[in-house]
Amino acid sequence: MIRRWIVTLCLFGVLASAGAAHADQVYIGNLDTAETGGIHAPISAKVALSSEKPKGITKEPIYRYKPLYGVLKMGDAKENEIFVVLDSGDNVPRPSLFVDVNANGDLTDDPPIKLTLPEGEKDRLVGTVSVTARYNIAGRGGKVSSAITFSVYGKDLNVNREYGRAGTLPIGGKTYKIALIDTGINSRFDDYKHEKEDEEPKVLLLVDRNNDGKFDILHEAYDLGKPFRVGGQ
């Protein structure tokens, strides 16, 4: 119950701002915290890797090569860090990827991510895992499962999302299917405001305007940091 309340509250604030073009109306959408798969970012985010081990890692497996450490931040809670370690080196055909899925600092109680070679590719390995985004709103925390996909190119590590937050939005007597996606791949749907006018969108609202059951990222995506119109509203 808390999880659903958190996502609905976030969307309420967003829609109130985005509806500025029609200021006398506020539209409230309802989102489910269940994962909505297959909503990828146009460009994967590069994970910053370093040979320096983060202080939060308390236990590690035995590495075969030289470990490179990275940190993902999922959600807005204080304890939102997820440690990742890429065990690789020069000309290593099968690197290993470790992710602190349960976020306890112990990389030995999480199995290595299964990396596979996509059909038709020679250099890129991919692996998907479900992590937990942690939220803190008005003193209350929430934990939402969020799947992400890693891509490994030698010593480089990229990440893309498999998650979104889907729901419905009533406008002008019609109910549209909607989804929220974060362009930063950090599960932050509340951080949508722009610091600069020409800044790229941080959060997108997808609206199935033609009710074909699919989201067209090119024609049905709206920047939540700017006013927009749907269905003449």
Side-chain angles (χ1 to χ4, degrees):
M1 184 63 68
I2 291 178
R3 291 180 181 178
R4 185 180 294 273
W5 174 82
I6 288 175
V7 178
T8 301
L9 179 62
C10 289
L11 184 60
F12 175 81
V14 165
L15 292 178
S17 172
H22 207 75
D24 59 332
Q25 297 185 38
V26 174
Y27 302 101
I28 301 176
N30 292 298
L31 294 177
D32 199 324
T33 57
E35 294 180 25
T36 300
I39 304 180
H40 304 284
I43 301 177
S44 297
K46 187 172 183 178
V47 180
L49 298 176
S50 170
S51 59
E52 183 177 352
K53 182 174 70 174
K55 295 181 179 179
I57 295 180
T58 59
K59 193 173 182 180
E60 300 177 85
I62 297 175
Y63 301 118
R64 295 182 297 168
Y65 309 105
K66 295 182 179 180
L68 295 172
Y69 301 91
V71 180
L72 301 179
K73 293 186 177 182
M74 305 289 288
D76 66 348
K78 183 178 180 180
E79 302 296 331
N80 67 346
E81 293 186 334
I82 299 172
F83 300 113
V84 300
V85 180
L86 178 62
D87 184 18
S88 186
D90 295 327
N91 301 316
V92 173
R94 285 292 177 179
S96 297
L97 179 63
F98 300 88
V99 179
D100 186 19
V101 174
N102 54 16
N104 65 351
D106 184 354
L107 289 165
T108 66
D109 61 358
D110 301 293
I113 305 305
K114 183 179 180 180
L115 297 174
T116 60
L117 190 68
E119 185 177 354
E121 298 194 32
K122 297 181 179 180
D123 303 319
R124 184 174 71 106
L125 296 171
V126 300
T128 299
V129 63
S130 186
V131 297
T132 300
R134 291 171 167 79
Y135 298 96
N136 184 45
I137 297 179
R140 294 186 180 184
K143 298 180 180 180
V144 181
S145 179
S146 304
I148 53 179
T149 293
F150 291 97
S151 298
V152 180
Y153 303 84
K155 294 182 180 180
D156 292 332
L157 180 64
N158 291 340
V159 64
N160 208 323
R161 61 167 177 267
E162 295 295 332
Y163 63 85
R165 301 293 178 255
T168 58
L169 175 65
I171 298 179
K174 295 182 179 179
T175 298
Y176 297 89
K177 292 181 179 179
I178 62 172
L180 279 183
I181 57 174
D182 57 321
T183 59
I185 314 177
N186 55 11
S187 287
R188 289 292 302 271
F189 303 104
D190 60 328
D191 183 20
Y192 59 89
K193 295 182 179 180
H194 294 282
E195 296 179 2
K196 300 179 180 179
E197 182 64 27
D198 58 349
E199 189 176 7
E200 292 294 321
K202 295 181 179 180
V203 180
L204 292 174
L205 174 65
L206 306 182
V207 182
D208 182 16
R209 295 172 57 186
N210 58 6
N211 291 314
D212 65 352
K214 300 180 291 184
F215 294 116
D216 184 341
I217 194 71
L218 295 178
H219 303 101
E220 296 180 328
Y222 300 90
D223 182 352
L224 286 185
K226 299 179 180 180
F228 60 88
R229 290 182 179 273
V230 177
Q233 302 297 312

